[in-house]
Amino acid sequence: MDGNEQDRTRDDFHELVNMTPAGLDRWLDTDESRDAGHHQDGGESVGHASGRRIVEILHKNKGDLSDDDYEHMRKVVGYVRRHLAQRPSGGVEDTRWRYSLMNWGHDPLAHDG
């Protein structure tokens, strides 16, 4: 990934990840967070693990980001964009859809005011 791709990826990531590291950490400690998403073999969900990784990335300086960090950032951008396009009708405050997105660092209600 060249410098321009890294810049785009980082910009997209920071645009879509609208939760602070502290806010995401608090969210990841909730039962709703742990219950949301796909659980393989009864373990931690993919989204919950991603959330922990996002917190780590958010704490890093630009120069400390690895190729693997950029790949995860791209994965987060893709996931959030796909799921935002699948927004259910009606209120979403207490839905698994919202909780899953929050595990990936995006609270869709943050934009709703």
Side-chain angles (χ1 to χ4, degrees):
M1 182 180 303
D2 68 23
N4 288 335
E5 288 176 295
Q6 288 179 340
D7 289 344
R8 271 193 308 279
T9 297
R10 200 173 48 260
D11 289 346
D12 290 347
F13 176 82
H14 286 291
E15 177 184 326
L16 292 169
V17 174
N18 64 2
M19 297 175 74
T20 65
L24 183 51
D25 255 341
R26 280 191 304 275
W27 165 250
L28 292 171
D29 282 339
T30 68
D31 289 338
E32 292 85 357
S33 171
R34 285 187 287 276
D35 291 343
H38 177 72
H39 293 77
Q40 197 166 23
D41 300 324
E44 182 180 33
S45 75
V46 173
H48 197 271
S50 176
R52 289 185 301 103
R53 179 75 189 279
I54 291 166
V55 170
E56 292 173 10
I57 290 171
L58 290 172
H59 282 298
K60 289 186 177 187
N61 293 318
K62 175 182 172 180
D64 296 330
L65 294 169
S66 68
D67 289 343
D68 195 45
D69 292 332
Y70 280 104
E71 285 304 313
H72 191 73
M73 291 162 74
R74 285 172 54 158
K75 183 176 179 180
V76 170
V77 167
Y79 179 89
V80 171
R81 285 182 175 159
R82 279 190 312 278
H83 277 71
L84 285 174
Q86 299 169 359
R87 184 180 182 121
S89 60
V92 296
E93 185 172 348
D94 296 318
T95 62
R96 290 180 65 86
W97 176 83
R98 177 183 178 220
Y99 297 162
S100 180
L101 275 168
M102 289 174 69
N103 278 351
W104 290 79
H106 181 85
D107 183 353
L109 297 185
H111 294 296
D112 290 351

